[in-house]
């Protein structure tokens, strides 16, 4: 006897079948012990999510509703029901045997209804994608639009179902194989009633206007990313069982939706969602209470030209006020409709610094208003300033704290998780956090959704290699498609790179105006360039090549009358060696006895480095109060960008010319109340002369050639070797183009031949880096199917994962964070904080204070041999149980702070930081 055909999945029904309530959507046995239901009906959960999506679109992110409305080519009031219906179908795959079988307590009740459970398993997101395709097609959507919507809402657990995967599940498009859909006709009937109930509460009827497929691939895929992000956020909010308490089956979907809407108000508010700032139109003087500089005047004149999503490239010397210019642009666009700000920096240190500036900006310019502000990078949890904002948010929500609050920035805990941080209206962090949006990682689209419609500022845009630059280009293409305005800041941006950035945003490059300049571009149009005068008159900086062996004595002589000098080297080992040499000179009386000698690099434990950064800013910042009479600060590249420092004299190893100029920006940076000592009254840059610079083919550059491209070092050396001064900012652009412009400089035959060889090697390396980026990045928004491989299953931060499988935003050798510890009387204590003991063997995470203390003592190691040995060791169980420490390793030291790993000596020295290997070795022989 033949089985009767099941009803069409989404045929209209005269009445609602109450058996739909028996399908569960959320379950938690512990809820039964608390006196409430231990399961939540699927339809109720979906209505919870609808209510959260509605609350977000109408009261928090109306800009996203406008964007989705425009993509669907419907009026706003007609688009909203469809968007809510799309979101509602995200869990349709839960109305299937594989999902319903997951809670054994419900299986018996469903069997009693007459449902069957074939032995198949599949995540419900991909099942939702198949079923939603059919549901939407039967409700009149064009098939291509139905499939894109289905893939978008089905991606709410982090990945878009590939077309190949869908083909494995379907017997025809939108129809699941019986093993997944269920053999009993009742499964299809209940799903049909579920879909019709959702269509009804969302306002979808046969007379409702039908949406169209978004025009153009880029618009279509931006719509998909935006819808996937909205669905994910609404699902997370609607899954908060503390707000959406589990209920018994209610009287009707409409009755429960009214309750869900009340709860959604609480859920969205409790998470800390707020409207982004909407200031009145304000001038620079009103924002900063000071007169604008030429850059700021130029920005204010150009603001009327920013009529839609735009790219703004600001090229200006160090100290011209680029940060204030970016904040001025944000404030003006926030007054219109921008949905927030993300300020992206190259390092955690620069992020921490700008985070403080943005916080002060918000306090000063939005008095009495409360706005969420978040710090977004791997060590954000160690920031005391960020912790203070989190504590403030908690206090405002306790005992009617909001009524007592005076406004100001807060950091709500809901956004503090890495995947959610870019959803916050205002955030500062590393550029890497934004770049993850275009990598094959779970919920990458959520980061794009969080950045959509915002002002995204990328500082120091020149500071990235080919690999990261390719990722940045791809990010720009997506941000343009998602309606963001991007502001790029640089002092030393090569012309070819500027043009590439403009093209990545979808605009045509234009002839550049004179430096300094602002370039504005709009996707699908041409760009324009405007020049403005520098704030200060051109400043000549003396260049003196100094031989390395006599540098310490020459420096001692130059500072005999006082002065503050900085000595920047390219490796940590060289910094430690230089510091020791200068300390020996001071001990022998060859440097002033009162001379302050400091060392700053990245291989100090977190707390020690932070303390040294604060000390450096206090001593060498704009103020006079703590500025020493005589001082030398030895450091590495950390001094190029992260700190506002001002020195009388600078010594630097040769680096790429843009970085040399960046370093030179720390010379005579501020106008000082007290005159500088006579010997250093003119800004002077001493360049360390390469030891082998007399070779016909040019110097080899030692360890620096392991840090920077040898071709760029050689071109930089050729650009600077015959100069006795550099005039800033006049010479910035000519020097940059002489190194990065591609033209061959005049040089003797042997030198020219070597440069040509190095250039070829550099081009090959650039191609390799670009190909590596292309292999792991999301395709461009105008590609056929950019989400086809968006299913990276690996932890971004885990150093154990092979480099080819990690979602990396930077190239480079892998490093490992270690926590130095000592064994004392059978107890393990932190080497840098002996009052803190830590139990490594328990399977429970350490107390929060211990976790923070351990993380603050962590230090990174990149030596390949040591990293390999560390990764062979198991993570301590207590670290593995801690979200913050789960990828850290323990570095066990003896009583003198020493150990050996893989034949490499390691020593934690309070003055030098972590010393890897012997400092007696030449730097280019260092491990």
């Amino acid at each position: 006897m033949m089985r009767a055909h099941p009803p069409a999945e989404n045929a209209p029904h005269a009445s609602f079948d109450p058996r739909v309530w028996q399908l569960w959507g959320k379950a938690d046995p512990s809820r039964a012990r608390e006196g409430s239901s231990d399961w939540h009906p699927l339809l109720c959960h979906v209505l919870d999510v609808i209510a959260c999506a509605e609350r977000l679109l109408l009261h928090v992110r109306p800009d996203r509703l406008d964007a989705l409305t425009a993509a669907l080519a419907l009026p706003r009031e007609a688009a909203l029901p469809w968007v809510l219906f799309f979101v509602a179908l995200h869990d349709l795959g839960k109305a299937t045997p594989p999902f319903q079988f997951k809670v054994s307590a419900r299986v018996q009740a469903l069997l009693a209804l007459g449902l069957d459970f074939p032995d198949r398993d599949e995540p419900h997101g991909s099942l939702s994608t198949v079923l939603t395709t059919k549901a939407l097609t039967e409700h009149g959507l064009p098939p291509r639009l139905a499939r894109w919507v289905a893939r978008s809402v089905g991606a709410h657990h982090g990945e878009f179902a590939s077309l190949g995967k869908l083909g494995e599940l379907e017997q025809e498009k939108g129809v699941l194989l019986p093993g997944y859909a269920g053999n009993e006709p009742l499964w299809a009937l209940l799903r049909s009633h579920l879909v019709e109930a959702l269509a009804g509460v969302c306002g979808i009827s046969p007379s409702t206007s039908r949406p169209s497929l978004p025009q153009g691939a880029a618009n279509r895929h931006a719509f998909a990313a935006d819808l996937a992000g909205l669905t994910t956020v609404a699902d997370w909010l609607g899954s908060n069982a503390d707000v959406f308490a589990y209920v018994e089956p209610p009287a009707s979907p409409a009755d429960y939706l009214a309750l869900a809407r009340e709860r959604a108000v609480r859920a969205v508010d409790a998470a800390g969602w707020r409207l982004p700032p909407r200031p009145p139109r304000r001038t620079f003087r009103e924002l900063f209470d000071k007169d604008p500089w030429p850059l700021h005047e130029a920005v204010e004149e150009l603001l009327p030209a920013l009529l839609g999503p735009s790219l703004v490239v600001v090229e200006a010397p160090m100290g011209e006020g680029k940060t204030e210019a970016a904040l001025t642009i944000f404030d003006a666009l926030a007054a219109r409709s921008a949905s927030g700000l993300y300020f992206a920096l190259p390092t955690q240190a620069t992020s921490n610094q700008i985070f403080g500036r943005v916080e002060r900006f918000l306090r000063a310019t939005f008095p009495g208003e409360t706005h969420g502000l978040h710090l977004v990078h791997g060590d954000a949890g160690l920031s005391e300033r960020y912790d203070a904002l989190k504590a403030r948010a908690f206090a405002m929500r306790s005992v009617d704290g909001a009524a007592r609050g005076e406004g100001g920035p807060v950091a709500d805990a809901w956004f503090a998780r890495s995947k959610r941080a870019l959803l916050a209206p205002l955030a500062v962090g590393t550029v890497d956090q934004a770049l993850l949006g275009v990598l094959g990682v779970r919920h990458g689209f959520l980061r794009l959704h969080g950045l959509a419609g915002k002002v995204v500022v990328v500082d120091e845009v020149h500071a990235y290699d080919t690999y990261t630059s390719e990722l940045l280009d791809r990010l720009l293409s997506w941000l343009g498609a998602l309606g963001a305005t991007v502001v790029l800041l640089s002092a030393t941006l090569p012309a070819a790179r500027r043009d590439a950035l403009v093209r990545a945003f979808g605009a045509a490059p234009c002839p550049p105006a004179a430096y300094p300049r602002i370039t504005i571009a709009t996707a699908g149009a041409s760009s324009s360039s405007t020049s403005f005068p520098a704030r200060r008159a051109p400043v000549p900086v003396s260049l003196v090549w100094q031989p390395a062996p006599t540098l310490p004595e020459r420096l001692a002589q130059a500072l005999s009358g006082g002065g503050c000098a900085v000595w920047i080297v390219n490796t940590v080992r060289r910094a430690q060696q230089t510091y020791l040499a200068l300390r020996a000179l001071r001990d022998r009386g060859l440097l002033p006895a009162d001379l302050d000698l400091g060392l700053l690099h990245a291989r100090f434990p977190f707390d020690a480095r932070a303390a040294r950064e604060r000390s450096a800013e206090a001593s060498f910042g704009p103020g006079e109060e703590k500025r020493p009479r005589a001082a030398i600060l030895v450091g590495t590249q950390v001094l190029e960008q992260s700190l506002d420092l001002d020195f009388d004299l600078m010594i630097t190893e040769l680096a790429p010319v843009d970085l040399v100029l960046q370093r030179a920006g720390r010379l005579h940076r501020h106008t000082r109340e007290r005159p500088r000592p006579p010997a250093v009254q003119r800004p002077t840059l001493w360049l360390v002369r390469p030891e082998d610079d007399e070779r016909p083919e040019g110097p080899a550059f030692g360890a620096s050639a392991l840090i920077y491209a040898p071709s760029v070092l050689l071109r930089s050396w050729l650009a600077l070797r015959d100069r006795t001064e550099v005039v800033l900012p006049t010479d910035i652009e000519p020097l940059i183009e002489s190194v990065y412009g591609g033209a061959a400089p005049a040089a003797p035959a042997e030198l020219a031949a070597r440069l040509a060889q190095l250039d070829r090697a550099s081009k090959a390396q650039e191609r390799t880096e670009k190909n590596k980026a292309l292999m792991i990045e999301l395709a461009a928004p105008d590609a056929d199917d950019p989400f086809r491989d968006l299913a990276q299953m690996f932890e971004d931060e885990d150093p154990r994962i092979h480099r080819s499988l990690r979602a990396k935003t930077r190239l480079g050798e892998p490093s490992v964070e270690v926590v130095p510890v000592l064994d004392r009387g059978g107890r393990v204590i932190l080497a840098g904080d002996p009052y803190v003991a830590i139990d490594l063997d328990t399977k429970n995470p350490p107390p929060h204070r211990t976790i923070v203390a351990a993380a603050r003592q962590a230090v990174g190691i990149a030596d390949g041999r040591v990293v390999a040995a560390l990764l062979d060791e198991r993570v301590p169980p207590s670290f593995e149980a801690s979200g913050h420490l789960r990828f850290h390793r323990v570095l066990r030291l003896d009583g003198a702070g020493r150990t050996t790993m893989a034949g490499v000596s390691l020593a934690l020295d309070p003055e030098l930081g972590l010393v890897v290997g012997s400092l007696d070795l030449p730097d280019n022989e260092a491990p």
Side-chain angles (χ1 to χ4, degrees):
M1 181 175 176
M2 295 183 63
R3 181 187 297 272
H5 290 292
E9 285 273 316
N10 304 295
H13 302 284
S15 60
F16 173 71
D17 190 331
R19 289 177 292 179
V20 171
W21 294 120
Q22 297 305 311
L23 300 174
W24 67 273
K26 293 287 180 181
D28 182 357
S30 68
R31 296 270 161 187
R33 295 191 295 270
E34 298 169 4
S36 63
S37 174
D38 60 354
W39 65 281
H40 196 46
L42 173 59
L43 180 51
C44 289
H45 167 63
V46 173
L47 293 172
D48 296 337
V49 175
I50 292 174
C52 289
E54 182 182 52
R55 182 71 184 174
L56 288 170
L57 291 172
L58 293 180
H59 298 280
V60 181
R61 294 297 306 272
D63 62 296
R64 299 334 305 149
L65 177 57
D66 292 340
L68 295 169
T69 294
L72 295 173
L74 287 174
R76 203 170 193 258
E77 62 276 8
L80 179 62
W82 281 110
V83 173
L84 295 179
F85 186 43
F86 297 161
V87 173
L89 297 176
H90 78 286
D91 269 350
L92 188 54
K94 287 185 174 181
T96 59
F99 184 84
Q100 293 297 313
F101 190 73
K102 293 180 184 296
V103 175
S104 58
R106 296 298 308 147
V107 171
Q108 293 304 315
L110 296 175
L111 285 170
L113 290 180
L115 296 173
D116 65 318
F117 290 90
D119 187 16
R120 292 290 185 92
D121 192 20
E122 179 67 27
H124 71 271
S126 53
L127 300 179
S128 292
T129 301
V130 174
L131 295 170
T132 298
T133 301
K134 188 72 169 177
L136 291 175
T137 303
E138 291 179 346
H139 278 80
L141 262 66
R144 287 184 68 197
L145 177 58
R147 180 66 105 185
W148 269 112
V149 169
R151 291 179 69 197
S152 299
V153 300
H156 61 281
H157 282 289
E159 77 183 82
F160 279 69
S162 68
L163 298 181
K165 166 55 70 175
L166 297 178
E168 295 173 4
L169 302 174
E170 294 173 315
Q171 60 182 15
E172 61 181 87
K173 192 169 185 178
V175 179
L176 279 175
L177 290 167
Y180 300 107
N183 293 308
E184 290 297 330
L186 183 57
W187 280 111
L189 179 66
L190 295 183
R191 284 194 294 268
S192 179
H193 278 268
L194 174 63
V195 170
E196 289 307 309
L198 294 173
V201 297
C202 291
I204 304 298
S205 69
S207 63
T208 305
S209 299
R210 265 47 185 170
S212 303
L213 183 72
Q215 295 300 303
N219 289 333
R220 186 159 56 250
H221 300 143
F223 166 81
D226 223 0
L227 179 60
L230 169 68
T231 304
T232 302
V233 174
D235 184 49
W236 284 347
L237 292 169
S239 298
N240 181 355
D242 291 331
V243 176
F244 295 97
Y246 295 176
V247 298
E248 298 292 338
S252 71
D255 287 343
Y256 183 78
L257 180 60
L259 174 62
R261 281 173 167 153
E262 294 176 7
R263 290 174 167 180
V265 173
R266 299 207 319 270
V268 172
D269 180 66
W273 283 90
R274 299 176 179 85
L275 276 170
R278 284 289 177 266
R281 180 66 186 96
R282 300 181 284 191
T283 65
F284 181 90
R285 283 187 180 86
E286 291 172 317
L287 287 174
F288 297 101
D289 195 27
K290 64 180 182 180
D291 291 336
W293 294 341
L295 167 58
H296 309 136
E297 293 175 333
V299 163
E300 290 194 303
E301 291 176 7
L302 292 170
L303 282 173
L306 303 182
L307 299 177
S310 303
L311 176 71
V312 182
V313 186
V314 178
E315 298 172 79
M318 298 68 71
E320 288 288 321
K322 292 189 288 293
T323 299
E324 288 90 345
L327 292 174
T328 300
I329 294 171
F330 159 68
D331 193 75
L333 297 186
R336 303 176 193 174
S337 60
S339 59
L341 169 71
Y342 184 61
F343 210 124
L345 289 304
T347 66
Q348 292 185 6
T350 46
S351 301
N352 293 341
Q353 183 192 26
I354 295 298
F355 182 72
R357 292 184 67 175
V358 171
E359 182 194 0
R360 292 191 294 273
F361 171 79
L362 293 174
R363 288 189 186 280
T365 57
F366 294 91
E369 297 184 26
T370 300
H371 294 292
L373 173 64
H374 288 263
L375 180 62
V376 193
H377 59 65
D379 285 326
L382 304 182
S383 166
E384 294 178 358
R385 186 185 294 273
Y386 188 36
D387 274 351
L389 294 191
K390 287 189 280 189
R392 194 165 179 278
F394 180 80
M396 287 185 65
R397 293 189 178 279
S398 62
V399 197
D400 199 24
R404 304 192 313 270
E406 72 283 2
V410 297
D412 296 280
W414 192 89
F415 294 96
R417 298 183 183 180
S418 60
K419 288 183 180 181
R420 300 176 181 177
L422 295 188
L423 297 168
L426 305 167
V428 178
T430 56
V431 70
D432 310 72
Q433 298 295 324
L435 294 177
L436 285 170
V438 292
L439 293 185
V441 296
R442 282 191 179 277
H443 290 113
F445 58 81
L446 189 66
R447 296 172 188 264
L448 294 176
H449 170 71
L451 295 172
K454 287 181 178 173
V455 176
V456 180
V457 182
V458 183
D459 199 2
E460 309 286 1
V461 74
H462 58 272
Y464 306 106
D465 61 15
T466 301
Y467 173 88
T468 305
S469 293
E470 167 62 29
L471 299 182
L472 180 59
D473 290 353
R474 185 54 47 85
L475 178 65
L476 291 184
S477 68
W478 277 95
L479 291 178
L482 285 161
T485 288
V486 183
V487 181
L488 306 178
L489 309 178
S490 177
T492 54
L493 187 64
R497 184 72 193 114
R498 179 185 61 250
D499 290 348
L501 292 164
V502 170
R503 281 192 291 268
F505 197 74
C510 65
Y515 181 89
R517 63 180 152 258
I518 302 174
T519 302
I520 294 179
T522 303
S526 61
S527 55
S528 62
S529 182
T530 303
S531 183
F532 60 90
R535 174 170 68 97
R536 294 174 290 194
V539 176
V541 176
S542 297
L543 290 187
V544 182
W545 288 93
Q546 297 279 16
T550 60
L551 256 176
E553 290 79 7
R554 290 174 183 263
L555 181 57
Q557 184 178 1
L559 298 183
S560 59
C564 297
V566 62
W567 191 329
I568 302 178
V569 296
N570 296 334
T571 67
V572 173
R573 173 179 297 277
R574 186 72 60 84
Q576 292 167 331
Q577 291 169 330
T578 302
Y579 174 85
L580 289 175
L582 293 171
R583 190 180 70 179
L585 281 181
R586 187 179 61 179
D587 292 344
R588 297 194 336 248
L590 299 179
L591 282 171
D594 64 343
L595 179 134
D596 287 354
L597 182 60
L599 178 63
L600 182 56
H601 56 70
R603 216 188 288 154
F604 281 102
F606 182 91
D607 258 358
R609 176 176 168 179
R612 286 170 180 265
E613 288 177 349
R614 290 192 296 269
S615 175
E617 286 190 300
S619 296
F620 309 114
E624 299 283 356
E625 183 180 345
K626 295 185 178 181
R627 190 172 181 87
R629 187 194 73 84
I632 303 172
L633 178 62
V634 180
T636 57
Q637 294 87 342
V638 298
L639 296 172
E640 286 172 5
Q641 301 166 343
S642 58
L643 305 170
D644 182 11
L645 306 178
D646 171 20
F647 297 99
D648 303 318
L649 174 67
M650 176 176 290
I651 306 97
T652 180
E653 289 187 321
L654 183 67
V657 72
D658 51 322
L659 301 185
V660 171
L661 295 170
Q662 196 79 24
R663 295 173 185 183
R666 270 63 183 161
L667 267 174
H668 292 221
R669 184 180 179 94
H670 297 293
T671 301
R672 309 222 68 89
E673 296 176 9
R674 297 198 300 263
R676 300 178 193 267
V680 290
Q681 284 191 346
R682 181 179 182 183
T684 301
L685 178 64
W686 289 0
L687 285 157
V688 181
R689 181 178 172 181
E691 295 178 1
D692 52 357
D693 67 345
E694 298 297 334
R695 298 192 317 165
E697 67 273 28
F701 304 114
S704 295
L706 303 176
I707 309 297
Y708 305 115
S711 64
V712 174
L713 286 175
L714 188 55
R715 284 177 168 272
S716 299
W717 177 72
L718 288 169
L720 296 172
R721 67 172 178 167
D722 295 326
R723 282 182 171 264
T724 58
E725 77 172 16
V726 171
V727 180
L728 301 178
T730 309
D731 289 335
I732 290 179
E733 186 164 43
L735 282 170
I736 295 295
E737 293 308 314
S738 71
V739 172
Y740 295 102
E750 277 190 80
L751 188 52
R754 177 166 173 250
L755 179 60
Q757 179 188 20
L758 293 177
D759 281 346
R760 288 192 296 272
S762 181
K763 292 294 183 185
Q765 179 64 25
E766 288 173 5
R767 288 193 295 272
T768 298
E769 291 186 11
K770 183 165 185 173
N771 287 335
K772 287 181 178 179
L774 290 170
M775 288 174 62
I776 67 168
E777 70 182 359
L778 191 63
D782 58 359
D784 288 340
D785 185 3
F787 302 108
R788 64 187 182 278
D789 296 319
L790 192 63
Q792 173 63 265
M793 303 300 291
F794 303 99
E795 289 276 7
D796 303 340
E797 309 96 330
D798 191 346
R800 297 170 297 180
I801 296 171
H802 190 274
R803 291 171 60 196
S804 64
L805 301 179
R806 289 171 63 193
K808 297 183 63 173
T809 55
R810 314 278 180 115
L811 284 183
E813 294 303 318
S815 63
V816 175
E817 293 285 315
V818 298
V819 178
V821 300
L822 302 171
D823 289 307
R824 289 276 173 85
R827 294 195 318 154
V828 176
I829 62 172
L830 298 179
D833 192 348
Y835 295 103
V836 177
I838 185 166
D839 184 351
L840 298 175
D841 296 322
T842 178
K843 293 185 178 180
N844 299 317
H848 177 70
R849 290 183 180 180
T850 304
I851 292 173
V852 171
R856 288 185 177 279
Q857 296 303 317
V859 60
I861 297 180
D863 179 275
R865 293 171 295 177
V866 178
V867 167
L870 286 166
L871 294 182
D872 283 341
E873 295 189 352
R874 73 183 184 106
V875 179
S878 63
F879 279 23
E880 214 159 28
S882 163
H884 202 99
L885 299 176
R886 68 188 187 278
F887 299 132
H888 287 56
R889 298 299 195 275
V890 167
L891 185 66
R892 294 181 182 271
L893 304 175
D894 62 21
R898 299 177 178 277
T899 191
T900 299
M901 296 196 74
V904 179
S905 64
L906 302 168
L908 185 61
D909 185 282
E911 274 192 275
L912 300 176
L914 185 66
V915 179
V916 179
S918 171
L919 294 181
D920 295 331
L921 290 172
D923 195 33
N924 58 1
E925 297 179 22

